[in-house]
Amino acid sequence: MYPYRFSNVMIGYLNLGTLLASIPIIGAGLWLAKGSTTTCSSILQTPLLVIGFVVLLISLAGFVGACFHVAWALWLYLFAIMLLIAFLLGITAFGFAVTAGGGGTQIPGRPYREYHITDYSSWLQHHMQNMKYWRPALACVVGSKACAKIENWTPMDYLQHDLTPIQSGCCKPPTACQYSGGMPVGAQDEDCYRWNNAPDILCYQCNSCKAGVMEQIRQDWHKISVLNVIVLVALICICSCGCCAFRNARRSLSEYPYGVNRMSKINPRWDYYWGRWFHGRREQLY
């Protein structure tokens, strides 16, 4: 039988590696889906789950095709892997583009930052302003009970402890707000007027709350992008080895590699007699 070549063994191991690498991606998507009560990043969970399951299925197909020399399976595998590379490049670039900016503004004398909706991409701003997306995001923020964790803080605690983006934007009014008798005084940011000390209101309708959710999305996406880059590099390596494995699979359809005639394998003198007969016939014709 035609022997296994290095590229076939290599692509088998690489597919095993990407198969294992797809598990953290699927896990990240499930974490964003089920753990959205703390991350509120459900916008990104669908692309991650799609990428994870596609990588898993393609890796299985490539592993079987390389190990059993199934040429048509490897052809489909290479085509799918190229599409996946293009898709992964696109989704990673899109994620970085829509989560650009942000980072918050450091408040003097405070360990936490405050966030402004205008610091983020227009696409993300439009997404958060749309009630279709903001309602589930707000329900996620309320369900996270992030504000309940700091409801008993004293003014000194705010000077000593850091806040998450959601706590900074949704659980308190902007630091610059000024109140007299519990009412805002003078011309101030609109969020100062939206704030209410009631536990079910707080600053949930503030633009700073939307900015806090966008900052959480930005941080989560940058963490997950590390996994995307690792998988992308692995896929490019696999695609290179896959081309060699595809060639080997085509050769393995016969027990004899390219350049070796089956009859000459049986009789080494066959090529000699075939050549003499061919030239003799040529002389008779001309």
Side-chain angles (χ1 to χ4, degrees):
M1 292 295 293
Y2 190 73
Y4 282 94
R5 290 180 177 268
F6 175 77
S7 58
N8 293 70
V9 177
M10 193 66 182
I11 199 172
Y13 280 114
L14 286 174
N15 274 286
L16 182 60
T18 53
L19 190 149
L20 296 176
S22 67
I23 296 175
I25 295 181
I26 296 173
L30 293 175
W31 171 62
L32 291 179
K34 294 186 177 180
S36 58
T37 54
T38 56
T39 64
C40 303
S41 303
S42 59
I43 294 174
L44 303 175
Q45 71 190 41
T46 301
L48 285 173
L49 287 173
V50 170
I51 290 172
F53 281 111
V54 169
V55 170
L56 180 66
L57 294 175
I58 291 178
S59 298
L60 285 172
F63 184 81
V64 171
C67 292
F68 295 96
H69 296 294
V70 183
W72 64 267
L74 280 175
W75 186 89
L76 291 176
Y77 163 75
L78 288 174
F79 180 73
I81 213 78
M82 291 177 185
L83 290 179
L84 183 59
I85 289 173
F87 177 76
L88 195 56
L89 278 172
I91 196 67
T92 302
F94 175 76
F96 277 118
V98 301
T99 57
T105 303
Q106 187 67 52
I107 304 301
R110 306 291 177 98
Y112 58 83
R113 293 174 175 265
E114 290 187 343
Y115 307 93
H116 304 90
I117 197 171
T118 55
D119 293 339
Y120 298 88
S121 68
S122 57
W123 184 90
L124 203 55
Q125 289 183 47
H126 176 73
H127 216 72
M128 285 293 101
Q129 296 291 359
N130 191 329
M131 295 305 295
K132 174 183 177 182
Y133 301 104
W134 174 241
R135 284 194 187 97
L138 180 59
C140 148
V141 171
V142 176
S144 69
K145 302 187 183 302
C147 295
K149 298 175 183 178
I150 63 172
E151 63 180 356
N152 295 322
W153 278 19
T154 64
M156 186 60 66
D157 290 325
Y158 284 95
L159 294 174
Q160 296 176 344
H161 302 289
D162 197 6
L163 297 172
T164 67
I166 290 178
Q167 288 175 333
S168 176
C170 304
C171 304
K172 66 172 189 59
T175 304
C177 293
Q178 296 180 0
Y179 296 90
S180 177
M183 298 296 294
V185 294
Q188 301 187 67
D189 189 291
E190 292 182 1
D191 284 349
C192 299
Y193 294 90
R194 296 189 180 106
W195 160 259
N196 190 300
N197 199 40
D200 58 338
I201 300 178
L202 299 178
C203 214
Y204 290 142
Q205 298 302 325
C206 298
N207 284 332
S208 62
C209 187
K210 295 177 181 178
V213 172
M214 289 190 284
E215 176 62 22
Q216 190 69 60
I217 292 173
R218 186 190 73 86
Q219 293 180 7
D220 290 340
W221 178 258
H222 286 183
K223 293 175 184 177
I224 292 169
S225 292
V226 176
L227 288 175
N228 287 352
V229 171
I230 292 173
V231 173
L232 185 60
V233 171
L235 288 176
I236 292 174
C237 295
I238 287 174
C239 190
S240 300
C241 291
C243 293
C244 297
F246 175 68
R247 180 188 60 190
N248 294 339
R250 291 186 62 187
R251 291 182 180 182
S252 67
L253 294 176
S254 170
E255 294 183 357
Y256 309 105
Y258 293 147
V260 180
N261 184 277
R262 182 179 180 90
M263 295 303 297
S264 63
K265 186 74 175 179
I266 298 172
N267 187 353
R269 296 177 61 90
W270 175 261
D271 287 338
Y272 171 74
Y273 292 119
W274 170 258
R276 289 192 60 183
W277 179 86
F278 177 78
H279 288 295
R281 292 289 296 172
R282 185 176 181 182
E283 290 176 357
Q284 291 178 8
L285 291 174
Y286 296 97

